Amino acid sequence: MFAETLEAVQSSPSKRAAYVRFVLVALAAIVLFKTFWFARWGGWTDRELADFDAFHIVALHVWRGDLDQVYHFEALLKMQMEAAGGATGFMPWTYPPQYDLLVAPFAFLPVGVGYLLFTTATLALYLVTLRAIAGRNFAQVLVILFPALAITIGCGQNGFLTGALIGLVCLNVERRQWLAGFALGAMVIKPHLAIAAGLYLLMTRRWIALGTAATVVLVSSLLCTLLFGWQIWTAWLGAIRESASFLEQGFYPLFRMISAYAALYKAGLPASIAFWGQAAVAGAALLAVLLGPVRNASSKFALGVTVMVSVMISPYAYDYDLPMLGIGLALILPELAKLASQRERSAIYGLVLLAGAYGLLQSGRLAVQFGQKADPDQHFAPAIGGFALMALLVLLLRLLLRGMQPSPALPRTAQATE
């Protein structure tokens, strides 16, 4: 069966090493290819902007002193068209000011060089963190996660950074709460992906971690206020309201989204019904976080479920956020064989693969059939990733509700690497 095939990846040290080498070489090749693409070398002088281009544009405006303008879509669209030399895609800016500070240094680098440094640094941090958590299951997780890693590299997004931060929370929550709290606080760059982890820390009374996270958020917010002025927060909140309206009207490339909202909306349901569906899924995801400790799941398994459902809470979640799902999968794998049947494991692996691969394959199909600037709204493309994650959530809830025996607590970082 499918589960047996994937689990055979780790059947021997030599086979594990071979698969790891293959995946890492493939990822390096994609990074190199996309570096040329972002740098506009060769035949890519006339290309549409991608996510890292947006990061670079914002970085430039940090130093120009008009950062608040990037939160106004009409002004940002003009900036993007200027950078693209013409038409560009739909890329509103809704990141908190803390992320503006993070990307600011890239203004001093060409786009291609900045992309290479950002992607290689965050990918390396993510892989080191994933390896520390996964241990001997590292090769299996890499194979299952490969499509999600490839698409994150392709657009130059920050999924590796957020995945690594959540991974650091998991590695340190037992014995270095201050470090776990620092990593969780740094998730202020994408706060909607930290909701589940915050709830888990609250449920398990990790007060030092929660206090440290709150301090990081407050201090970084104060720094942003001092640097950019109070108006930056008004501009940011205005951008969030504007993006909610854009989401309701379906302006985003919803087929790349992995949320229940996107899945239901693209299936033809009205936006109001799709939002209620998203609310129900978010509630079920938070219930999964609560059930872990209640049903006597081990710290490792409960954390794994928490991380996996983190990407299911917000209606605004993309396939490039899926590296976080790999952290959760690595945490639950050691116990999955005894808690889930072979069929259930096959379904879990397959759903993770589908969620990561669908947007990649669909983007490729649209580009081949209709050109690089194909509009998915004109050529119907459903949001299958959202349905895959809803099914995955049902499976995780089923495992938790089935009941578990108490297991050892989360091991030390050193033990996890054995």
Side-chain angles (χ1 to χ4, degrees):
M1 290 184 69
F2 187 52
E4 281 184 324
T5 302
L6 284 172
E7 289 163 358
V9 167
Q10 59 192 44
S11 59
S12 69
S14 60
K15 185 172 285 191
R16 292 199 299 269
Y19 276 101
V20 169
R21 282 195 298 269
F22 176 80
V23 172
L24 294 183
V25 168
L27 294 177
I30 299 170
V31 171
L32 184 61
F33 170 78
K34 292 303 295 189
T35 298
F36 284 104
W37 189 88
F38 274 98
R40 298 178 184 273
W41 294 345
W44 294 297
T45 52
D46 180 26
R47 63 167 178 81
E48 192 169 308
L49 299 186
D51 296 80
F52 188 80
D53 292 302
F55 297 171
H56 195 262
I57 291 168
V58 171
L60 291 171
H61 286 272
V62 169
W63 299 102
R64 291 175 184 174
D66 59 350
L67 181 61
D68 60 305
Q69 290 302 302
V70 304
Y71 290 105
H72 300 285
F73 180 66
E74 289 186 8
L76 178 61
L77 184 61
K78 291 178 182 177
M79 300 173 196
Q80 292 172 350
M81 292 177 67
E82 218 174 275
T88 183
F90 182 76
M91 292 191 296
W93 187 257
T94 55
Y95 283 97
Q98 285 90 337
Y99 194 70
D100 304 334
L101 276 182
L102 179 68
V103 299
F106 293 102
F108 300 100
L109 298 170
V111 175
V113 176
Y115 162 83
L116 179 62
L117 289 177
F118 178 79
T119 302
T120 53
T122 56
L123 176 58
L125 177 62
Y126 174 77
L127 291 175
V128 168
T129 306
L130 182 64
R131 175 67 179 86
I133 292 172
R136 68 185 300 273
N137 296 319
F138 184 52
Q140 182 183 346
V141 177
L142 280 183
V143 170
I144 296 171
L145 210 63
F146 180 77
L149 302 181
I151 203 163
T152 306
I153 292 172
C155 58
Q157 256 290 347
N158 51 33
F160 299 134
L161 177 59
T162 54
L165 288 173
I166 287 295
L168 289 172
V169 173
C170 297
L171 281 171
N172 295 285
V173 69
E174 293 287 336
R175 295 177 175 84
R176 287 182 290 272
Q177 284 196 47
W178 65 271
L179 185 52
F182 185 87
L184 183 65
M187 281 294 293
V188 69
I189 61 173
K190 273 196 171 179
H192 57 284
L193 296 180
I195 294 171
L199 177 60
Y200 177 84
L201 294 181
L202 184 64
M203 274 284 294
T204 54
R205 301 179 182 181
R206 310 293 183 184
W207 307 122
I208 295 175
L210 287 170
T212 305
T215 301
V216 170
V217 173
L218 290 173
V219 171
S220 62
S221 299
L222 177 60
L223 179 60
C224 290
T225 304
L226 293 173
L227 292 174
F228 305 134
W230 285 103
Q231 69 273 11
I232 198 65
W233 300 105
T234 304
W236 175 51
L237 293 174
I240 292 175
R241 288 192 294 270
E242 195 174 35
S243 68
S245 173
F246 292 151
L247 188 62
E248 188 174 355
Q249 297 172 68
F251 288 168
Y252 287 96
L254 296 179
F255 77 97
R256 289 274 314 278
M257 286 189 168
I258 54 172
S259 66
Y261 171 82
L264 297 173
Y265 185 90
K266 290 296 284 184
L269 293 178
S272 58
I273 301 299
F275 271 120
W276 279 110
Q278 177 64 54
V281 169
L286 294 176
L287 174 63
V289 178
L290 298 175
L291 281 176
V294 170
R295 301 295 290 180
N296 292 323
S298 70
S299 300
K300 198 169 186 180
F301 194 88
L303 267 172
V305 171
T306 296
V307 173
M308 294 181 81
V309 303
S310 295
V311 297
M312 306 176 191
I313 294 172
S314 170
Y316 189 90
Y318 274 96
D319 46 14
Y320 54 69
D321 293 317
L322 287 172
M324 186 178 291
L325 201 64
I327 298 292
L329 181 62
L331 284 163
I332 70 170
L333 268 181
E335 296 180 65
L336 202 57
K338 62 182 180 182
L339 295 175
S341 67
Q342 192 176 78
R343 182 174 295 180
E344 288 170 331
R345 298 199 307 279
S346 294
I348 289 171
Y349 303 153
L351 290 169
V352 174
L353 267 169
L354 176 60
Y358 176 77
L360 185 67
L361 296 174
Q362 195 66 265
S363 297
R365 180 188 71 82
L366 292 172
V368 169
Q369 285 188 276
F370 308 105
Q372 290 293 326
K373 298 183 179 181
D375 183 356
D377 289 331
Q378 296 178 6
H379 314 288
F380 179 70
I384 299 299
F387 287 116
L389 290 195
M390 284 191 277
L392 179 61
L393 176 59
V394 170
L395 282 171
L396 293 175
L397 284 169
R398 181 178 176 179
L399 292 178
L400 290 168
L401 290 170
R402 186 181 294 161
M404 300 180 177
Q405 296 299 319
S407 300
L410 189 69
R412 296 176 185 267
T413 305
Q415 292 175 321
T417 60
E418 291 176 359

